């Protein structure tokens, strides 16, 4: 009888847990190594169900053609800067990483209507480093990877609206049609844009890749995050080797971009938003004071490693983005585990990691870009991969 009671209780727990698992929160956490397939969401708070207290309750229907009316000026935030991040702006939806030109235009129209003010990278760096005042509702526009489509579609829109912006270049891909991946801009195109309000800074020389960190290649991570596995030497890099590699790559990009454009300051956006303390140390040695992640948030004076809000991607809703900006881009809330049932909201992997003891022979621990430890899963030779499905560049 005792065992029958235990079995019944167990069955009830399983049934309730399955309901939590199936119908629990769909909110997803963004981190600094999130791939474009996930980062393409504007912000984690935009994708939570309406029951969540920090959800943006705006329809997700296409509003690109709706009229935009100017509203009375209001200061939504002061002494802060929202940095928006884009990858590609195209007339048609190419993949999940692109935002439609129509949506991009509506974003700009709404920002103008609601009194957001665009600033340059120079204004941003002076604000972060020196506290030099910026306008209320300040916005910095940034674009990653240097896609040729930027010159074709985004740049004309920015130029028409007299909006300054920054493009982060993978230096070795510029004017290099033989480089694999989506076609990139040329130095001639860059020179044209540079004369008309577009700045260009470092997105590495050629380190925008995902690399193995073990002999079997079952675990991979962004190359700026830590030591990688050296197939020829059949071992992992030492910290000194990792540091030297990163320093060489970043300095190559710095030198080339300065030669071409005459930049008088150094700024870097980390590919995939991924970095480590060692990476930051290298940046400091090279005089790179301002860096950017892909973690959402709003930037205050002294925020050297800046937050960015992903404003691109196929899931973008211009009206929801503006609502988020008006709210000052609150950081995603992390729900605390209060009971065993709360574990169900973590999903199968999250639950598995929380309820079972660590097993060093099956897990490898590495430093998370945010400074926290992250777990790379290695079950039956499978692992998290940060690559886009179509093999294109990301973040």
């Amino acid at each position: 009888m005792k065992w029958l009671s235990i079995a019944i209780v167990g069955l009830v727990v399983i049934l309730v847990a399955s309901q939590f698992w199936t119908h629990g929160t769909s909110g997803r956490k963004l981190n600094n190594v999130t791939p474009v397939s996930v980062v393409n969401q504007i912000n984690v708070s935009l994708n939570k169900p309406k029951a969540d207290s920090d959800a943006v309750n705006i329809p997700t229907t296409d509003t690109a053609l709706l009229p935009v009316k100017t509203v009375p000026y209001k200061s939504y935030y002061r002494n802060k800067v929202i940095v928006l991040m884009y990858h590609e702006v195209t007339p048609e939806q190419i993949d999940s990483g692109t935002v439609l030109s129509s949506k991009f235009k509506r974003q700009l129209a709404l920002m103008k209507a609601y009194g957001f003010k665009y600033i340059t990278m120079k204004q941003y760096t002076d604000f972060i480093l020196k506290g030099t005042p910026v306008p209320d509702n300040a916005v910095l526009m940034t674009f990653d990877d240097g896609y040729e489509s930027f010159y074709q579609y985004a740049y004309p829109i920015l130029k028409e609206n007299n909006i300054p912006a920054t493009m982060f270049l993978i230096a070795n891909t510029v004017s290099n049609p033989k480089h694999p991946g989506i076609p990139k801009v040329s130095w001639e195109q860059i020179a044209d844009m540079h004369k008309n309000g577009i700045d260009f800074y470092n997105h590495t020389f050629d380190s925008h890749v995902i690399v193995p960190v073990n002999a079997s290649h079952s675990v991979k991570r962004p190359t700026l995050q830590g030591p990688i596995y050296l197939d020829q030497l059949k071992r992992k890099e030492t910290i000194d080797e990792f540091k030297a590699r990163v320093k060489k790559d970043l300095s190559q990009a710095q030198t080339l971009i300065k030669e071409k454009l005459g930049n008088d300051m150094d700024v870097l956006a980390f590919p995939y938003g991924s970095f480590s303390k060692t990476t930051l140390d290298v940046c400091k040695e090279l005089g790179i004071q301002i860096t950017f992640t892909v973690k959402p948030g709003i930037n205050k004076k002294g925020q050297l490693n800046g937050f960015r809000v992903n404003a691109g991607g196929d899931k973008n809703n211009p009206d929801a983005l503006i609502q988020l900006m008006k709210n000052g881009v609150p950081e995603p809330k992390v729900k605390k585990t209060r009971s065993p049932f709360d574990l169900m909201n973590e999903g199968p992997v999250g639950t598995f990691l929380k309820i079972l003891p660590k097993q060093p022979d099956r897990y490898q621990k590495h430093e998370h870009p945010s400074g926290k430890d992250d777990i790379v899963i290695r079950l039956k030779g499978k692992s998290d991969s940060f690559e886009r499905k179509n093999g294109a560049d990301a973040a």
Side-chain angles (χ1 to χ4, degrees):
M1 193 67 181
K2 178 181 178 181
W3 289 107
L4 179 60
S5 299
I6 294 174
I8 293 173
V9 171
L11 180 61
V12 171
V13 169
I14 291 173
L15 291 174
V16 173
S18 66
Q19 290 298 307
F20 271 82
W21 203 308
T22 303
H23 303 292
T25 177
S26 61
R28 289 172 291 184
K29 300 174 185 176
L30 275 174
N31 61 44
N32 290 342
V33 291
T34 306
V36 144
S37 59
V38 176
V39 161
N40 285 331
Q41 315 306 318
I42 294 175
N43 186 279
V44 65
S45 60
L46 298 186
N47 295 303
K48 291 185 179 180
K50 293 183 178 180
D52 287 4
S53 60
D54 61 345
V56 179
N57 296 316
I58 294 179
T60 57
T61 54
D62 188 359
T63 58
L65 300 179
L66 295 179
V68 175
K69 297 181 180 180
T70 301
V71 299
Y73 176 78
K74 180 179 179 181
S75 176
Y76 303 109
Y77 53 88
R78 294 179 177 177
N79 299 317
K80 298 175 183 177
V81 179
I82 290 176
V83 181
L84 298 182
M85 177 181 67
Y86 299 86
H87 288 83
E88 291 195 273
V89 177
T90 54
E92 298 179 355
Q93 197 69 50
I94 297 176
D95 60 28
S96 61
T98 62
V99 62
L100 292 175
S101 301
S102 58
K103 289 185 177 181
F104 183 60
K105 290 178 181 179
R106 182 169 179 82
Q107 287 180 357
L108 302 184
L110 287 169
M111 281 188 259
K112 180 179 180 180
Y114 281 92
F116 289 94
K117 305 297 181 182
Y118 301 106
I119 65 173
T120 65
M121 183 60 77
K122 174 63 175 173
Q123 288 175 287
Y124 177 82
T125 56
D126 285 346
F127 165 69
I128 296 295
L129 298 175
K130 307 172 187 177
T132 304
V134 291
D136 292 359
N137 309 331
V139 178
L140 176 65
M141 305 285 284
T142 66
F143 296 77
D144 285 4
D145 302 335
Y147 294 118
E148 187 177 43
S149 60
F150 175 81
Y151 184 73
Q152 297 170 321
Y153 306 116
Y155 168 59
I157 298 172
L158 294 169
K159 184 179 179 181
E160 180 183 354
N161 290 277
N162 196 31
I163 297 173
T166 288
M167 166 66 74
F168 291 107
L169 299 170
I170 308 170
N172 195 35
T173 67
V174 179
S175 290
N176 187 1
K178 294 183 179 180
H179 196 284
I182 299 172
K184 305 299 194 299
V185 291
S186 68
W187 288 115
E188 291 74 21
Q189 292 169 333
I190 289 172
D192 178 34
M193 293 185 283
H194 198 227
K195 293 184 296 185
N196 293 285
I198 309 300
D199 294 320
F200 297 87
Y201 290 99
N202 198 340
H203 203 37
T204 74
F205 183 76
D206 208 351
S207 289
H208 199 305
V209 291
I210 303 295
V211 289
V213 297
N214 63 351
S216 65
H217 291 199
S218 61
V219 181
K220 298 180 180 181
R221 66 185 177 197
T223 187
L224 291 192
Q225 189 174 330
I228 65 176
Y229 188 79
L230 305 172
D231 285 323
Q232 291 183 340
L233 300 178
K234 296 183 179 180
R235 64 171 176 82
K236 199 171 182 178
E237 279 182 319
T238 66
I239 290 296
D240 287 341
E241 288 171 332
F242 165 62
K243 186 174 180 179
R245 172 172 59 80
V246 173
K247 188 172 184 178
K248 179 181 179 181
D249 178 276
L250 297 184
S251 62
Q252 275 186 286
Q254 280 180 288
T255 300
L256 182 58
I257 294 172
K258 283 183 177 180
E259 287 178 355
K260 294 289 185 177
L261 301 173
N263 288 355
D264 59 358
M265 61 183 185
D266 295 299
V267 181
L268 168 70
F270 293 113
Y272 311 97
S274 184
F275 62 93
S276 66
K277 182 180 182 302
T278 301
T279 316
L280 293 175
D281 290 341
V282 170
C283 291
K284 187 175 181 180
E285 290 180 22
L286 295 175
I288 303 173
Q289 294 179 282
I290 299 294
T291 56
F292 289 96
T293 68
V294 299
K295 184 177 181 181
I298 193 166
N299 297 286
K300 305 174 184 178
K301 175 187 174 183
Q303 182 66 42
L304 301 179
N305 201 16
F307 300 115
R308 291 196 290 172
V309 175
N310 190 9
D314 61 341
K315 301 299 182 183
N316 178 271
N317 179 321
D319 295 78
L321 173 65
I322 296 303
Q323 185 62 46
L324 179 71
M325 294 171 68
K326 288 166 61 179
N327 291 336
V329 192
E331 291 191 51
K333 294 181 179 180
V334 179
K335 185 176 181 181
K336 295 182 179 180
T337 301
R338 301 177 184 275
S339 72
F341 294 105
D342 288 335
L343 290 174
M344 299 306 161
N345 289 332
E346 299 290 335
V349 173
T351 303
F352 183 74
L353 293 177
K354 286 180 179 293
I355 64 177
L356 292 184
K358 295 179 182 178
Q359 302 178 43
D361 60 322
R362 300 182 72 192
Y363 303 101
Q364 178 176 339
K365 208 169 189 180
H366 66 80
E367 185 175 342
H368 189 281
S370 65
K372 299 179 180 179
D373 285 329
D374 191 18
I375 299 295
V376 175
I377 302 165
R378 297 192 299 164
L379 299 177
K380 298 182 181 179
K382 296 182 179 180
S383 68
D384 287 340
S385 173
F386 304 106
E387 297 170 303
R388 269 171 73 178
K389 291 182 180 179
N390 62 3
D393 300 310

